[in-house]
Each structure stands twice: as structure tokens, then as C-alpha cells.
Amino acid sequence: MAKFDIAIIGAGPAGAVAAKFLHDAGLSVIVLEATHFPRFVIGESLLPFCMNVLEKCGLAQTVVDHAPSAAFQFKNGAAFARGDQHCSIDFRDRFENDGWGTTFQVKRDAFDKILIDAVAKAGVDVRFGHRVINARLADGDCQLEFENDTGEHGTIHAGFVIDASGYGRVIPKLLGQANAATLLPRRALYTHVRDNITDTTYDREKILITVHPTRHDVWYWLIPFADGTSSLGVVYPQDALATDQQTDDTALFDRLIGETGLGPLLNRAEKTRPMGTIGGYSVSSDQLYGDGYVLLGNSAGFLDPVFSSGVTIAMYSAELAAKTLINRHHGHDPDWENSFAAPLGAGIATFKSYVEAWYDGRLQQIIFNQPERDLQLKRMVVSILAGYAWNMDNPLVAKTDRYLNLLHELCL
């Protein structure tokens, strides 16, 4: 029975970042991943804040070096469209003076593999095709039972377990702690296309977020990559298109795209992969940590894809958890509430307020009618959209709802 200081479930960005931090600090780490990489997953538009975390754990340069061969698209901001209204933001025009202001739009099959390959090269024991089927958790004495691709069973013994299994949510499901979130259930349809965009005004260095002209709670993402392909998706409340539920997903997707400016922009696009769908993705857990374990990223919960916060939250949760475990390794008693749950939750609460403000219309009003005279307020908004949701010096983070309402009133 192999024994490690830390066992990590999941080899995605959160698992890779946590493993790199911990390994570099001298802890023995194993990563158990149920699938084999590369594998397709959405969540392809990173935020600049991610690059800060990657830089701290020594993986940022790896991403930069692989960007050309992996068709990662340089990203400096976001563009928004709703009918004849258009707005764009540059992440470099934000409230903070330090940290990354640019990032990449990435194909996750390549991105995730690049990260975990670098972690394995650094010396971490990474095992693919190992599905965790049972867990006995107690701080200092954890056991994970796994089944591998050949049907063989085994047990890993670790002092502590990190669940970075994403939507797999291994530990919450085993402990009966996986809950639906309070946000309205929504559904996403998505695919990849060879976009064949000829419009010379289209900016490939920004994600394009389009809002349906009459249904403002229906929105679309267009995430371009450097090889002429793009990720394309539409998100809508599950009951908003009740009369369309018998419609084939592909037909519904094509019709919704055609009802916006994306129709003419993508009139020559060709789908390169089958239509995907995910519903009820907004989830939460009763607690983020417990006796012998901590939950990272989507394993703990997921809000909404509208501001691409998922990978950012996952990476930052990995940084906070790793620092807490490293301090413990150095003889300090861990304070999971104050070193992990509370600081992580503060940023998640900010993102949640922005998600709610997006769907109730306040944030759309701010984005499409922002007062040009107050550039400082605009920079504060840009900071949140760039992922800097943990900077308490930004009033829009420290007092999110108050300032969102103030901005909304200014934009009316």
C-alpha cells in the first residue's frame, strides 16, 4: 500500500497547480486521474488572474512556451454585443497596477495536458486511468481505494486528500454532500467550429459575449483559437425555452445563433465536433474542507460560465490549499477556515454577485451604458472581469452589491 503526504484526485488545472506547489515544497504527492489525457472539456477562456497563480507555481512560462504549437490565442479582454449595442474592455485597463493583464484562450485538451505533463516531469507521481471508488478520510491517515483501466483495485495511503475532480465531485458524492446551488438552473449547448470569419473588425484577442436581442437571460460565447477554430456556445435558463424542448439540440442551437449578430459573422462556419450539452451545472457543497480533505474548484461548486471564472477559482483554491498544507508540513496547525474557506469564499461571493447582476440586467446595463466620465469606476469593473475578485482594495470587491447598484443607477 503506497503512502504519500498528499493524494490529489483529478489532474485538471486545480490538481496540477496544487501538486506543483506541494512537490516544490518537498511534500510527496500522487495524482489519481480517472481519464486519460488529452481529453475534451470546456472552460477555455482564461482570465489574467490565472497567470499570476501559474507564475507562482512555476507553470506560467510553460504555458507561454507552448502557446504557439498548441494554438493558444493571446487574450487581452472581452467584447460584448446585444443587438446594435457593442462594448469592449481591455484587461490591462484595470484597477491594479501589478499582476498579469493578458492571458490566453486555450483548447483544454492541450492546456490541461501541458500542465500535468510539466508536473509529472518535475517528479510528481501522476496515474491516469485510476478512478477513486471509495475513501476513508481522517487527517494523517487517509485511504483511497481505486480501480484502474484493467479492473484492478488498489489502495493509496496519504496523510491528506485534495479533491480536484471537477464535475466528478468524488468526495462530495462519497460523503453525500453534493448539492444543487441557489442559482437558477441553466443549460448550455456548445461545439467547436472552423469559424472562417472574414469580418476584418472582428477581434480574435477577445472573447465575444453576445446577448440575445429580446431574451436578455440568453447569451452566447465565441472563444477564438489561434488556428482559425473557435469554441461556440449558448446558455439559457432551462425553463426559458419550454416550448422548444422537443426541438433537436442542433436545430435549436443553429436557430438561436441565427437570431443574433453571430449568424452573419459565422455564416461560413463549419462544426468540427459533435454538439455537447450540460445542464444543472450550478452546484455547491455543504463544506469546503473536513477531516483529512479539502475540495478545490468545481469539486466544491460551480457558479456560471458567463465570466469564465471557473478555472480562476479552481487555480486560486489550489494555491490557498497548497499554502495551508505547506504550513502544516512546517509544523503549523492548519486553520482551514481563515487560510482557505474565508478568503476563497470572498472572491466567489464577488463573482456570484456579478453573475446575479448579469442575469437580472443590472450588469448588462452597466456594460452597455457605462459612464465614460468615470474611468476609475470602469477600471474597477474591468478588474473583476479580469479575475481580480480577491483584491479588497477595490471597492467593487469590498462592497460589491453596494457599488454595483450605484453603478447601475449612474447608467440608467
Side-chain angles (χ1 to χ4, degrees), residues 180-375:
T182 57
L183 294 174
L184 182 72
R186 293 182 171 87
R187 189 166 186 256
L189 302 174
Y190 55 87
T191 188
H192 276 194
V193 299
R194 180 155 298 283
D195 55 65
N196 294 316
I197 294 173
T198 58
D199 186 343
T200 57
T201 65
Y202 175 63
D203 186 353
R204 298 191 74 89
E205 296 184 348
K206 294 177 175 62
I207 181 176
L208 173 60
I209 297 175
T210 300
V211 182
H212 193 279
T214 59
R215 294 170 168 170
H216 292 176
D217 56 355
V218 177
W219 66 274
Y220 313 71
W221 75 73
L222 179 61
I223 301 170
F225 306 118
D227 61 358
T229 64
S230 292
S231 174
L232 177 65
V234 58
V235 176
Y236 59 90
Q238 290 184 184
D239 61 351
L241 304 177
T243 59
D244 299 311
Q245 293 308 304
Q246 300 304 313
T247 303
D248 172 79
D249 280 344
T250 300
L252 176 60
F253 181 84
D254 291 342
R255 177 170 66 78
L256 288 173
I257 295 293
E259 291 174 351
T260 72
L262 292 170
L265 182 67
L266 296 169
N267 65 341
R268 300 174 63 242
E270 306 165 274
K271 292 187 178 72
T272 59
R273 64 173 297 111
M275 182 71 57
T277 179
I278 183 171
Y281 50 72
S282 182
V283 292
S284 66
S285 297
D286 289 335
Q287 55 192 67
L288 299 180
Y289 61 92
D291 188 10
Y293 74 91
V294 65
L295 309 179
L296 305 186
N298 292 355
S299 182
F302 182 76
L303 292 173
D304 192 272
V306 65
F307 298 124
S308 306
S309 62
V311 176
T312 302
I313 293 171
M315 285 188 181
Y316 191 54
S317 69
E319 178 184 344
L320 292 174
K323 287 181 176 178
T324 302
L325 289 169
I326 290 167
N327 285 335
R328 187 183 77 157
H329 182 66
H330 291 155
H332 304 289
D333 291 334
D335 182 353
W336 284 101
E337 187 60 31
N338 291 311
S339 67
F340 177 78
L344 180 64
I348 293 174
T350 297
F351 279 126
K352 184 177 180 181
S353 291
Y354 271 65
V355 169
E356 292 173 337
W358 171 264
Y359 285 110
D360 69 26
R362 286 176 296 153
L363 191 53
Q364 291 188 34
Q365 182 73 14
I366 292 169
I367 288 172
F368 290 113
N369 300 280
Q370 51 188 295
E372 293 296 333
R373 66 181 182 276
D374 199 330
L375 295 180

Side-chain angles (χ1 to χ4, degrees), residues 14 31 102 111 130 159 177 192 194 199 329 347 362 404:
V31 178
T102 61
F111 178 73
H130 283 58
Q177 296 178 353
H192 276 194
R194 180 155 298 283
D199 186 343
H329 182 66
R362 286 176 296 153
L404 272 175

Side-chain angles (χ1 to χ4, degrees), residues 73-251:
Q73 172 64 56
F74 175 80
K75 176 185 177 185
N76 61 22
F80 299 85
R82 186 178 67 182
D84 60 359
Q85 294 179 293
H86 299 272
C87 172
S88 65
I89 62 170
D90 191 315
F91 290 146
R92 293 165 292 192
D93 298 330
R94 67 186 195 286
F95 184 74
E96 297 80 13
N97 293 320
D98 57 356
W100 286 69
T102 61
T103 184
F104 296 96
Q105 299 182 143
V106 300
K107 294 184 179 182
R108 286 287 302 279
D109 53 356
F111 178 73
D112 291 11
K113 188 174 189 305
I114 286 167
L115 292 185
I116 200 62
D117 283 355
V119 169
K121 185 177 180 180
V124 174
D125 188 341
V126 180
R127 304 186 189 181
F128 294 98
H130 283 58
R131 182 172 63 92
V132 174
I133 58 176
N134 199 10
R136 292 175 55 191
L137 303 171
D139 198 354
D141 184 20
C142 298
Q143 295 182 31
L144 295 180
E145 182 183 349
F146 65 82
E147 180 180 16
N148 66 20
D149 285 348
T150 65
E152 295 175 329
H153 286 234
T155 302
I156 296 295
H157 188 164
F160 197 88
V161 172
I162 293 175
D163 186 348
S165 60
Y167 285 122
R169 313 195 71 212
V170 172
I171 297 302
K173 289 179 179 178
L174 289 175
L175 298 182
Q177 296 178 353
N179 302 323
T182 57
L183 294 174
L184 182 72
R186 293 182 171 87
R187 189 166 186 256
L189 302 174
Y190 55 87
T191 188
H192 276 194
V193 299
R194 180 155 298 283
D195 55 65
N196 294 316
I197 294 173
T198 58
D199 186 343
T200 57
T201 65
Y202 175 63
D203 186 353
R204 298 191 74 89
E205 296 184 348
K206 294 177 175 62
I207 181 176
L208 173 60
I209 297 175
T210 300
V211 182
H212 193 279
T214 59
R215 294 170 168 170
H216 292 176
D217 56 355
V218 177
W219 66 274
Y220 313 71
W221 75 73
L222 179 61
I223 301 170
F225 306 118
D227 61 358
T229 64
S230 292
S231 174
L232 177 65
V234 58
V235 176
Y236 59 90
Q238 290 184 184
D239 61 351
L241 304 177
T243 59
D244 299 311
Q245 293 308 304
Q246 300 304 313
T247 303
D248 172 79
D249 280 344
T250 300

Side-chain angles (χ1 to χ4, degrees), residues 362 366 400-410:
R362 286 176 296 153
I366 292 169
T400 304
D401 290 322
R402 174 183 174 183
Y403 277 91
L404 272 175
N405 290 331
L406 174 61
L407 269 173
H408 181 240
E409 292 175 5
L410 290 173

